[in-house]
Amino acid sequence: MFEETIIAISTPLGYGGLGIVRLSGKKSLSIAKKIFKPKKQKAKIKPLRPILGNLYDFEQKEFFEEAYLTYFPQPSTYTREDMVEISCHGSPIILEEIIRIGIKAGARHANPGEFTLRAYIRGRIDILQAEAINDIIQASSLKQAKISFKQLEGSLSRKIASLRKNIIHLLSQIEASIEFPEERLRISPKQILKTIENTIQGIKKLIESYILGKTLSKGLTLAITGRTNVGKSTLFNSLLERERAIVTPYPGTTRDYLQERTKIKDSIFSLIDMAGITTPSHPVEKEGIKRGKKLLSDADGVLLLFDTSQNETLEDFKLLKQCKNKKPLLLFNKIDLPLRMNKEKVKDQGKNLPSLEISALKGTNLEKLKAKIHKIFVPNQNQGEEVILHLRQKLLLEEILDCLRGGGRLLKEGYTEEIIAEEIRKIIPLISQLTGEIKADEIINDIFNRFCVGK
Ligand SMILES: Nc1nc2c(ncn2[C@@H]2O[C@H](COP(=O)(O)OP(=O)(O)O)[C@@H](O)[C@H]2O)c(=O)[nH]1
Ligand SMILES: [Mg+2]
């Protein structure tokens, strides 16, 4: 399948100043010559030199558009194959026509991400870099785009390569002491343990960086909860800066949940406005509450609202207890109204939990709230430290961590080197999965299907 020459429109479909069609594969140049004729009749297509010409429909024998063509000879190309780029007016009709005659001339339409897939299959990039390419294209924040750019340049790949080197070194030491137990090169269990623990620390850091990665790419989910009528939907709208949720003075207005993305500083949050988790008075509300509970337990963070213009209720305390393990931010709302709540009593119940007084309606302390949300939920990160952006990567790193911990445990329990080596050896294929050295169809499909056609 990678022997065929592929063709695709690489610019977004729509009207634009320019549109680009790309070809990749052995027949790129010969196909290009069929569908493109230089303006100067005797001019030759030279590598890496844009040449002006006309696009040619060889069936109807007519020209239909002006274009620049650039030929990129293999192997120093995006795909490591021969490539051709045709740059013309950004007209969807013209671009589709180029694809049609390109296919007539012997090309095949590219699948999503197939150019990048070829770069990976041909060994120019690993799968971490392929993921980074798509992350740049689909970046939700400049900070994330910059992280992805570094990963495309190989920052994460180098980190993983050095992890592999350390693991192999450790294994060879353990294995040497199995083979030559009487010799001096025997490594002490203490030394093995030290290496294992150092490696664990490094991997833990990477895994922890995923939370930051998530805030920069997909966004952290933040559930706004509290009993009915405390002002959840009002706060939801204020944070979104638009009237997304319906707000009324009647309890039970929000029956289903609403979810919307918003940016707070350079981080993305997916805010969830939930139905009040109270005794339902309506079947629709009941379902809403059920879903709400699930959302609450899945959320990365919780904002728990109280209505300070009312006396505290048992329900407030119940909710506090329910989300305590989620370390919620307590928000005392409606401070524009006369105070009736015993805030200290509530705070006492939520010991050590951060809190803030606000008026969602009047916008009091809203900026403070945003700063606080950022401070509490977005982890700090030192400049230049690697950030993991994909769950796939995080899960594999967790498996590696498990093996290391397992190895350490066996060592402490006094098991033989053979058994410890066996546990540590399991890490090697996991690393190969991480970098894509093991080319598994399932992973390939999953990753490249997220790409646009033409990339
Ligand atoms: N005075 C005042 N009223 C508020 C405030 N926040 C919400 N409300 C009102 O409280 C009622 C219920 O608000 P809503 O956002 O629908 O509460 P929810 O049931 O928790 O979603 C509405 O009449 C809001 O206008 C506030 O900060 N101050
Ligand atoms: Mg509501």
Side-chain angles (χ1 to χ4, degrees):
M1 132 185 212
F2 297 118
E3 293 315 304
E4 294 164 300
T5 295
I6 50 171
I7 189 166
I9 304 170
S10 284
T11 38
L13 260 194
Y15 309 110
L18 288 176
I20 293 174
V21 169
R22 290 206 293 185
L23 286 145
S24 180
K26 280 199 201 84
K27 290 195 288 180
S28 294
L29 189 60
S30 66
I31 291 171
K33 282 179 175 166
K34 278 192 204 161
I35 66 174
F36 174 93
K37 307 289 171 197
K39 292 256 186 196
K40 289 183 190 150
Q41 264 185 3
K42 292 209 178 103
K44 278 225 171 75
I45 298 173
K46 293 188 188 125
L48 308 177
R49 286 264 187 93
I51 178 168
L52 186 62
N54 288 322
L55 291 168
Y56 184 61
D57 179 346
F58 56 86
E59 288 177 333
Q60 303 287 328
K61 302 205 168 24
E62 65 178 358
F63 292 105
F64 63 93
E65 160 73 327
E66 266 188 349
Y68 267 106
L69 181 141
T70 316
Y71 165 50
F72 301 88
Q74 56 94 16
S76 307
T77 65
Y78 186 74
T79 55
R80 268 205 179 156
E81 303 171 340
D82 266 0
M83 290 187 80
V84 164
E85 253 182 54
I86 297 169
S87 173
C88 60
H89 294 114
S91 148
I93 296 288
I94 295 290
L95 291 165
E96 295 284 0
E97 180 63 4
I98 302 173
I99 301 299
R100 191 187 68 80
I101 57 165
I103 290 171
K104 282 264 146 96
R108 164 171 72 72
H109 200 287
N111 296 319
E114 194 172 354
F115 290 89
T116 312
L117 174 59
R118 287 180 176 211
Y120 161 63
I121 296 289
R122 309 275 183 226
R124 191 179 67 78
I125 53 171
D126 64 20
I127 206 121
L128 296 167
Q129 291 169 302
E131 282 172 315
I133 290 171
N134 205 27
D135 292 339
I136 293 175
I137 294 175
Q138 305 192 1
S140 332
S141 60
L142 183 60
K143 192 165 173 185
Q144 187 228 303
K146 286 179 178 172
I147 289 169
S148 301
F149 167 68
K150 285 209 187 112
Q151 293 186 353
L152 170 58
E153 293 211 307
S155 62
L156 183 57
S157 309
R158 282 193 293 276
K159 193 149 199 139
I160 303 302
S162 110
L163 169 67
R164 176 198 291 268
K165 215 175 109 197
N166 291 344
I167 297 292
I168 288 177
H169 185 64
L170 180 65
L171 271 174
S172 67
Q173 282 181 320
I174 301 174
E175 275 157 10
S177 51
I178 296 170
E179 267 178 69
F180 314 104
E182 63 292 334
E183 286 183 29
R184 298 263 302 285
L185 52 100
R186 190 186 160 95
I187 179 174
S188 73
K190 216 170 157 187
Q191 276 171 293
I192 300 179
L193 204 57
K194 199 167 164 225
T195 311
I196 289 180
E197 264 154 19
N198 283 342
T199 318
I200 285 179
Q201 288 316 316
I203 293 178
K204 261 169 90 178
K205 241 184 171 164
L206 267 180
I207 292 172
E208 282 160 13
S209 76
Y210 178 68
I211 298 182
L212 179 64
K214 224 176 132 190
T215 72
L216 298 173
S217 53
K218 284 199 261 317
L220 293 184
T221 52
L222 213 52
I224 305 176
T225 191
R227 57 187 181 84
T228 31
N229 251 25
V230 291
K232 297 182 294 294
S233 299
T234 310
L235 178 66
F236 180 72
N237 288 342
S238 304
L239 286 172
L240 292 179
E241 293 171 15
R242 65 197 167 94
E243 299 302 304
R244 171 68 181 85
I246 300 172
V247 173
T248 73
Y250 310 110
T253 307
T254 316
R255 286 177 166 168
D256 201 353
Y257 71 91
L258 299 171
Q259 187 161 11
E260 291 290 331
R261 272 154 64 105
T262 189
K263 222 176 208 175
I264 298 178
K265 291 192 181 176
D266 52 14
S267 296
I268 296 155
F269 287 91
S270 189
L271 297 179
I272 305 175
D273 177 20
M274 310 205 326
I277 303 189
T278 43
T279 331
S281 55
H282 191 280
V284 180
E285 216 179 0
K286 196 172 167 188
E287 183 57 28
I289 291 167
K290 201 175 117 203
R291 289 186 195 180
K293 281 192 177 152
K294 167 96 173 72
L295 285 171
L296 198 61
S297 71
D298 291 346
D300 296 304
V302 174
L303 307 180
L304 177 54
L305 259 74
F306 301 98
D307 181 348
T308 56
S309 70
Q310 305 280 327
N311 287 326
E312 63 279 5
T313 66
L314 270 180
E315 228 181 306
D316 285 323
F317 290 116
K318 209 172 123 196
L319 272 166
L320 191 55
K321 211 171 146 197
Q322 249 180 42
C323 17
K324 225 175 194 169
N325 63 335
K326 285 262 162 193
K327 298 209 171 60
L329 168 56
L330 311 183
L331 296 177
F332 293 98
N333 191 29
K334 307 199 188 180
I335 55 162
D336 55 300
L337 297 176
L339 176 71
R340 291 187 67 179
M341 177 172 275
N342 184 347
K343 284 183 300 192
E344 294 315 312
K345 203 170 152 198
V346 179
K347 275 189 197 167
D348 258 10
Q349 284 283 317
K351 260 192 202 92
N352 300 328
L353 292 176
S355 65
L356 188 69
E357 298 184 0
I358 59 166
S359 165
L361 188 69
K362 306 272 189 237
T364 316
N365 279 350
L366 208 61
E367 286 313 307
K368 261 196 192 156
L369 171 59
K370 286 183 184 174
K372 211 157 190 150
I373 287 177
H374 205 271
K375 191 164 164 254
I376 295 174
F377 299 109
V378 180
N380 274 327
Q381 194 233 5
N382 298 329
Q383 271 277 317
E385 263 176 34
E386 206 55 62
V387 178
I388 297 293
L389 293 168
H390 292 272
L391 187 61
R392 179 191 84 85
Q393 300 166 356
K394 179 182 170 251
L395 293 176
L396 280 167
L397 286 167
E398 280 172 348
E399 281 188 59
I400 292 172
L401 192 66
D402 279 349
C403 294
L404 282 166
R405 283 184 173 147
R409 207 168 36 241
L410 292 170
L411 193 70
K412 279 186 201 151
E413 287 168 9
Y415 281 86
T416 62
E417 275 102 341
E418 277 96 339
I419 289 176
I420 293 150
E422 201 176 308
E423 188 65 22
I424 302 289
R425 211 175 290 117
K426 287 184 197 157
I427 296 173
I428 304 295
L430 292 170
I431 293 178
S432 303
Q433 276 181 54
L434 194 55
T435 60
E437 199 185 317
I438 294 178
K439 295 188 168 58
D441 282 348
E442 202 180 314
I443 296 170
I444 288 177
N445 290 340
D446 189 50
I447 290 176
F448 291 94
N449 281 337
R450 281 183 255 147
F451 277 66
C452 331
V453 175
K455 188 62 206 173

